[in-house]
């Protein structure tokens, strides 16, 4: 698939609000003057976290699924005192996760609520970003334009005692309807891609301790959400993020959840005794409270009869990996391309194997003639280290994947989770070296430090996994006398 075709599909997915078929998408791409196969389209759609399959070959984007849906935000006492609310994770999963939440727009009665910046204690600030994953919360805070002078790398990725957060002013609502602590904002998605929401204030403070019908309905809403999430955890597993977990969970139940009396996921997490933020390797996910998230379960995808620990969308493109290995050889000023022979051996079909051989020869010739070692120096150094670790991780993964999911469930789960996360992060780094030259140049030291940490993680988990594999294999063999 060409970069242009991929860009067009991404644009379509982020903005198209109606159900569509694979063929309709393929036809749309071809009308732009680009060729794309039905299989490529289908593969892309099935792998995208921003698309839901309504029925066989009928899809709906998140932009369409969440358009017009309602969710609520209940400002904290501190926010009320500062006359603002922090957006943070509160629009998860109803907003485009690729857009920084501090840039979202909220309007009331057709008038945009003004932006406002407030200073917060770092511990308080982190709580506004937990649905992005605790491990990423500080990065989201650092990405806020109000903290543009904050350099996490220099601070060893620790936040200072105080940070600034860009939020939305509550002053217009305080003046208009005496909005106070205990009140909430009923939000509705108006534009998923750009992050535009309408807001209606829901006043509760004037009722003091009196329980209203909506309070009872809201508690029932929390109970319903808990049942929905528990079912989703066992059905879909950890997925690629908390955002994706929540999106899959609430999608089928929007008619039940999108109510004027709805609570918020943030409030639910604070009161639930069954679901919490739990360890998933070096990350966090929503899971059964007090339990680490396992590596495998009934959600684990199957590939050619084997249980695959890596979601299919993270398998790197064959042509991309060919170029990556060739560039690494050129960076090392080596003519040994034997590593690529393993790629060819993995292609089962003889005709396709010949095509793979031809592609490799063609790319070796093109890249060898155009390669500039000096221009590739920064990216090449990152690519080489990432590729060396990627090969080790892939080899260990291949050694433990099997056709029997119960075999994997008996292995050390958190170590396997870390292994899969290393694989995915390394694929991201390799792709970034090719697509974001400026970022690679600016963040060279940070990326290299990240690879240092990944190498140490790999050395920590490898003996644990290998020892477990040896014990497991030994049980399959018995001495026959």
């Amino acid at each position: 698939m060409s970069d242009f075709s991929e860009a067009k599909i991404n644009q379509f997915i982020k903005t198209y609000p109606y159900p569509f078929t694979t063929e309709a998408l393929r036809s749309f791409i071809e009308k732009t003057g680009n060729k794309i196969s039905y299989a490529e389209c289908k593969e892309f759609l099935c792998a995208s976290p921003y698309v839901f399959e309504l029925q066989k070959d009928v899809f709906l984007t998140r932009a369409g699924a969440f358009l017009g849906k309602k969710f609520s935000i209940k400002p904290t006492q501190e926010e009320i005192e500062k006359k603002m609310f922090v957006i943070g994770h509160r629009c998860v999963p109803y907003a485009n996760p690729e857009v920084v939440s501090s840039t979202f727009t909220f309007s009331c009665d057709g008038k945009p609520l003004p932006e406002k910046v407030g200073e917060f204690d770092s511990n308080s600030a982190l709580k506004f970003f937990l649905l992005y994953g605790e491990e990423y919360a500080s990065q989201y805070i650092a990405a806020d334009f109000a903290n543009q002078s904050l350099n996490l790398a220099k601070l060893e990725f620790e936040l200072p005692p105080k940070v600034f957060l860009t939020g939305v002013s509550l002053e217009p609502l305080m003046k208009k309807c005496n909005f106070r602590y205990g009140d909430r904002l009923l939000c509705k998605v108006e534009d998923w891609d750009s992050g535009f929401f309408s807001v209606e204030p829901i006043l509760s403070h004037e009722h003091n301790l009196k329980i209203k019908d909506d309070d009872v309905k809201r508690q029932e809403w929390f109970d319903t959400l808990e049942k929905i999430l528990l079912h989703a955890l066992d059905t879909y597993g950890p997925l690629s993020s908390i955002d994706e977990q929540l999106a899959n969970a609430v999608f089928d139940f929007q008619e039940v959840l999108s109510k004027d009396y709805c609570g918020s996921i943030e409030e639910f997490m604070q009161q639930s005794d069954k679901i919490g933020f739990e360890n998933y390797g070096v990350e966090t996910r929503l899971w059964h409270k007090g339990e680490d998230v396992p590596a495998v379960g009934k959600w684990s995808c199957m590939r050619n009869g084997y249980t695959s620990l890596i979601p299919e969308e993270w398998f790197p493109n064959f042509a991309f990996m060919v170029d990556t290995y060739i560039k690494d050889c050129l960076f090392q000023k080596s003519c040994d391309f034997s590593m690529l022979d393993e790629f060819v051996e993995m292609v089962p079909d003889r005709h396709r194997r010949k095509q793979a051989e031809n592609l490799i020869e063609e790319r070796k010739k093109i890249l060898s003639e155009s390669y500039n070692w000096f221009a590739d120096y920064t990216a090449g150094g990152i690519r080489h280290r990432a590729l060396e670790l990627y090969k080790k991780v892939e080899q260990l993964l291949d050694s433990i994947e099997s056709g029997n999911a119960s075999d994997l469930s008996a292995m050390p789960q958190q170590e396997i989770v870390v292994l899969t996360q290393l694989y995915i992060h390394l694929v991201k780094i390799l792709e970034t070296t090719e697509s974001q030259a400026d970022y690679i140049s600016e963040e060279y030291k940070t990326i290299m430090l990240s690879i240092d940490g990944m190498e140490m993680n790999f050395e920590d988990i490898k003996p644990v996994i290998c020892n477990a594999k040896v014990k497991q294999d030994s049980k399959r063999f018995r001495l026959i006398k």
Side-chain angles (χ1 to χ4, degrees):
M1 183 189 299
S2 69
D3 290 341
F4 183 83
S5 294
E6 187 169 337
K8 281 294 180 183
I9 291 179
N10 278 320
Q11 179 187 10
F12 179 92
I13 286 174
K14 290 179 180 179
T15 56
Y16 193 73
Y18 309 108
F20 64 95
T21 63
T22 306
E23 181 55 35
L25 177 58
R26 191 195 67 79
S27 177
F28 165 77
I29 298 299
E30 294 209 334
K31 284 179 181 177
T32 65
N34 283 265
K35 290 288 184 182
I36 186 170
S37 69
Y38 177 93
E40 284 179 311
C41 267
K42 186 65 177 284
E43 182 181 358
F44 193 95
L45 290 172
C46 291
S48 173
Y50 304 145
V51 176
F52 302 107
E53 190 165 14
L54 298 176
Q55 58 191 65
K56 186 174 176 59
D57 201 40
V58 178
F59 300 89
L60 182 64
T61 66
R62 277 209 212 180
F66 295 139
L67 181 65
K69 298 304 183 288
K70 299 174 182 179
F71 62 97
S72 74
I73 295 173
K74 186 177 181 181
T76 64
Q77 179 71 58
E78 183 179 12
E79 289 174 294
I80 294 296
E81 290 170 0
K82 296 180 186 297
K83 299 181 180 180
M84 63 176 288
F85 73 90
V86 177
I87 304 168
H89 61 203
R90 283 148 147 176
C91 297
V92 172
Y94 296 98
N96 184 349
E98 294 182 8
V99 178
V100 178
S101 64
S102 57
T103 65
F104 291 166
T105 301
F106 291 77
S107 71
C108 183
D109 295 331
K111 297 179 181 179
L113 294 174
E115 180 183 284
K116 186 171 184 179
V117 175
E119 186 180 46
F120 289 81
D121 174 87
S122 289
N123 290 328
S124 298
L126 286 168
K127 294 176 183 178
F128 293 123
F129 296 87
L130 294 180
L131 290 177
Y132 291 124
E134 185 178 358
E135 63 280 9
Y136 299 115
S138 59
Q139 295 175 45
Y140 276 92
I141 292 172
D144 191 317
F145 186 74
N147 294 309
Q148 59 181 319
S149 62
L150 179 61
N151 189 322
L152 277 182
K154 286 185 178 179
L155 295 171
E156 297 183 349
F157 298 96
E158 292 288 335
L159 290 173
K162 299 283 185 179
V163 294
F164 292 98
L165 297 178
T166 302
V168 179
S169 175
L170 288 171
E171 292 180 59
L173 301 182
M174 290 176 167
K175 291 177 182 178
K176 178 182 176 181
C177 57
N178 194 28
F179 192 90
R180 290 167 56 184
Y181 177 64
D183 298 338
R184 68 178 62 240
L185 304 167
L186 181 64
C187 307
K188 186 166 80 170
V189 181
E190 303 291 349
D191 187 319
W192 179 86
D193 181 39
S194 64
F196 181 74
F197 308 89
S198 58
V199 171
E200 176 188 348
I202 305 295
L203 306 182
S204 300
H205 70 266
E206 56 194 27
H207 297 282
N208 296 320
L209 299 177
K210 183 180 178 181
I211 297 176
K212 300 193 306 175
D213 288 344
D214 279 0
D215 296 326
V216 176
K217 290 180 180 178
R218 190 171 297 113
Q219 188 54 54
E220 292 173 350
W221 186 93
F222 285 128
D223 294 341
T224 300
L225 178 62
E226 183 171 73
K227 292 174 184 176
I228 290 170
L229 287 175
L230 287 170
H231 176 264
L233 296 183
D234 294 334
T235 303
Y236 300 113
L239 294 172
S240 63
S241 65
I242 293 174
D243 172 82
E244 191 178 357
Q245 283 185 301
L246 289 168
N248 278 271
V250 305
F251 170 63
D252 289 329
F253 299 94
Q254 281 304 288
E255 297 308 313
V256 178
L257 298 174
S258 180
K259 299 292 184 181
D260 289 352
Y261 53 78
C262 64
S264 68
I265 294 172
E266 180 180 53
E267 290 173 276
F268 168 79
M269 293 304 299
Q270 291 169 357
Q271 70 179 43
S272 177
D273 58 1
K274 292 185 179 179
I275 297 173
F277 296 101
E278 303 299 338
N279 291 332
Y280 183 59
V282 296
E283 300 177 359
T284 54
R285 292 290 189 274
L286 300 187
W287 202 248
H288 302 280
K289 206 156 197 174
E291 300 178 17
D292 287 342
V293 188
V296 294
K298 50 188 177 183
W299 61 84
S300 300
C301 56
M302 302 299 289
R303 178 185 54 177
N304 299 326
Y306 287 83
T307 300
S308 176
L309 293 166
I310 304 297
E312 194 168 339
E313 60 265 29
W314 282 108
F315 297 154
N317 179 273
F318 178 82
F320 168 78
M321 290 307 296
V322 166
D323 279 10
T324 297
Y325 275 102
I326 291 172
K327 287 180 181 179
D328 185 54
C329 287
L330 295 171
F331 176 74
Q332 297 180 78
K333 300 180 180 180
S334 167
C335 295
D336 180 13
F337 298 100
S338 58
M339 187 65 193
L340 293 165
D341 294 340
E342 295 181 17
F343 274 28
V344 176
E345 292 172 6
M346 292 169 61
V347 180
D349 181 83
R350 187 170 62 180
H351 175 66
R352 290 184 178 178
R353 194 177 304 136
K354 184 63 178 176
Q355 289 179 324
E357 290 173 348
N358 292 339
L359 172 66
I360 289 171
E361 291 306 313
E362 178 186 347
R363 295 304 295 166
K364 278 199 290 190
K365 184 176 185 300
I366 292 172
L367 291 173
S368 295
E369 291 175 354
S370 62
Y371 183 77
N372 185 319
W373 189 88
F374 293 99
D376 190 47
Y377 181 78
T378 301
I382 291 174
R383 183 193 303 112
H384 178 67
R385 283 194 62 194
L387 192 58
E388 287 299 298
L389 183 56
Y390 170 84
K391 287 186 284 188
K392 294 176 183 178
V393 169
E394 185 182 43
Q395 185 179 30
L396 187 54
L397 272 170
D398 286 343
S399 74
I400 63 177
E401 286 186 342
S402 70
N404 191 341
S406 64
D407 288 347
L408 283 172
S409 64
M411 298 282 282
Q413 294 296 286
Q414 288 307 297
E415 283 76 9
I416 291 180
V417 169
V418 173
L419 185 65
T420 62
Q421 289 168 347
L422 289 175
Y423 180 96
I424 290 171
H425 288 312
L426 288 165
V427 170
K428 286 181 182 177
I429 289 174
L430 291 172
E431 290 177 343
T432 302
T433 61
E434 305 307 316
S435 61
Q436 300 181 44
D438 290 343
Y439 176 81
I440 288 294
S441 179
E442 292 171 4
E443 300 294 331
Y444 176 82
K445 290 184 179 179
T446 301
I447 297 171
M448 282 299 202
L449 283 172
S450 177
I451 296 175
D452 283 343
M454 286 190 276
E455 288 172 341
M456 288 188 288
N457 280 336
F458 180 74
E459 293 305 321
D460 286 341
I461 64 173
K462 182 180 177 181
V464 178
I465 293 174
C466 288
N467 288 338
K469 184 74 168 62
V470 169
K471 289 180 181 178
Q472 192 176 71
D473 290 344
S474 67
K475 295 177 181 177
R476 298 177 184 168
F477 300 96
R478 293 185 180 179
L479 183 63
I480 301 176
K481 297 182 180 180

